[in-house]
Amino acid sequence: MTAEQRRPAYARAFIAQARSDWQAYRVLEQAELPVCHHLHYLQMVCEKLAKAYRLRDTKAPVDELVATHSGFSKFISAFFTAVLKDEYVGKTLQLGLLIQRSRKLAREIEKLAPALDRAASPENAEYPWERDGSVIAPCDFGFSALSLLRQSGSRAFLKLVHRALDDFESVTLP
Amino acid sequence: MAPTKDEAARELAAWHFGVEPYLERVIRILAENEDEPGEPIKLLEVNGATVATGNVEAFAFAPSKSLPFPITIAEVTPEEFERIARHELPLPRGWSLENSEQFPRPRAA
């Protein structure tokens, strides 16, 4: 397989897995389980989604893109600029607030990845961590920074994720 | 009438300054083959509201009705941009600040 064939093949695989993770997230969100489980899936959706968009269209080496972390919070602004701009004509203020809120949530969701900055921010959705002399399991932790997700205004963020999953084929380069 | 590529890039930058209060500047990267139809508008955006990731992640999108050009956008923090300027942080392949157009934040935006 050449690099030109591998890049779109990986992109398709990452978006397929992100969509499947999204379905799992929706099931877990409704289940009577600790919040860490659905947040773990949401974090995986966001990371794979950003990776799929990066992979399909850039000139960067495929293996580097597959192996490195892709920042979902950096993806948000690009997606608004390139895809959603037309839908917010005359609604600059609302859009500005939505971007701000989405960035904040994206940042909190990125922190859920266990591999990311464990020293500064050990809380994650997957593995236990130590804080102030106690060892804490994700299933016993409230993830209050992400309680925002349950508020009605933040549903827009989840719609944004859903939209980016749905629109992948139409808004990326052929 | 559809905008030219230059007009589209300027309009996009102006629009983005309007919705992003911490966007400090937009740099349009120009390629040697900038006039080729498939060559995207390439924007490097320096935004104080984004998160440092230690690399420059470019996301590319297909043309749309209002923006009839492919577009590639990468967002970095002001600190990451300083590292780019010092050649400590590499830009995406084919991007260079040497051949670029700067859009500083308008005073009123």
Side-chain angles (χ1 to χ4, degrees):
Chain A
M1 235 179 176
T2 66
E4 277 60 44
Q5 292 167 323
R6 289 177 73 225
R7 186 175 293 116
Y10 264 109
R12 283 193 299 273
F14 269 103
I15 200 72
Q17 192 60 37
R19 284 169 176 158
S20 182
D21 286 351
W22 173 255
Q23 287 177 325
Y25 160 73
R26 296 308 300 265
V27 170
L28 291 171
E29 189 194 25
Q30 309 295 325
E32 286 185 24
L33 286 169
V35 293
C36 66
H37 296 294
H38 75 256
L39 291 178
H40 181 202
Y41 270 86
L42 185 58
Q43 181 269 317
M44 293 197 293
V45 170
C46 294
E47 180 167 2
K48 286 165 194 160
L49 178 61
K51 211 178 267 285
Y53 272 87
R54 279 214 71 201
L55 265 162
R56 182 125 181 222
D57 302 309
T58 67
K59 293 171 183 169
V62 182
D63 293 323
E64 192 181 303
L65 288 177
V66 170
T68 56
H69 174 78
S70 289
F72 184 69
S73 52
K74 286 190 169 180
F75 165 76
I76 283 178
S77 182
F79 188 74
F80 273 113
T81 304
V83 182
L84 300 181
K85 174 174 167 278
D86 293 347
E87 297 171 24
Y88 285 88
V89 174
K91 297 178 188 170
T92 305
L93 188 62
Q94 289 98 313
L95 181 58
L97 286 171
L98 180 56
I99 293 174
Q100 260 178 289
R101 188 182 291 146
S102 298
R103 269 188 203 286
K104 190 175 175 191
L105 283 168
R107 212 171 298 167
E108 294 300 328
I109 289 165
E110 276 181 322
K111 285 186 200 165
L112 294 171
L116 220 66
D117 202 4
R118 291 295 293 270
S121 179
E123 295 82 3
N124 73 92
E126 209 174 348
Y127 299 108
W129 64 88
E130 208 173 321
R131 172 81 87 183
D132 301 328
S134 300
V135 177
I136 300 158
C139 63
D140 294 328
F141 192 68
F143 295 98
S144 58
L146 284 158
S147 60
L148 282 172
L149 277 172
R150 291 176 217 124
Q151 294 171 10
S152 59
S154 294
R155 288 284 156 188
F157 171 78
L158 294 172
K159 285 183 185 173
L160 166 76
V161 174
H162 195 190
R163 178 77 185 270
L165 288 167
D166 279 354
D167 285 2
F168 181 72
E169 282 80 8
S170 61
V171 302
T172 52
L173 298 170
Chain B
M1 190 192 288
T4 65
K5 194 173 183 181
D6 290 348
E7 286 168 347
R10 272 196 298 274
E11 280 170 21
L12 201 56
W15 176 81
H16 215 185
F17 280 121
V19 294
E20 286 272 18
Y22 299 102
L23 182 61
E24 294 182 5
R25 68 173 108 175
V26 176
I27 297 137
R28 181 183 173 200
I29 308 291
L30 298 162
E32 280 179 18
N33 60 340
E34 193 62 34
D35 293 334
E36 282 181 18
E39 185 58 27
I41 293 172
K42 298 168 287 301
L43 301 181
L44 178 65
E45 301 195 331
V46 184
N47 196 328
T50 196
V51 184
T53 56
N55 54 39
V56 184
E57 299 165 61
F59 295 98
F61 300 90
S64 63
K65 225 179 247 180
S66 67
L67 185 68
F69 303 94
I71 176 168
T72 304
I73 305 175
E75 186 182 75
V76 294
T77 64
E79 293 74 24
E80 284 175 324
F81 181 69
E82 283 173 22
R83 291 184 59 209
I84 291 168
R86 292 197 300 264
H87 303 286
E88 293 170 7
L89 190 61
L91 284 167
R93 194 175 285 181
W95 290 32
S96 165
L97 294 180
E98 307 291 309
N99 193 11
S100 63
E101 185 181 4
Q102 302 262 345
F103 301 108
R105 184 172 187 84
R107 281 190 183 174

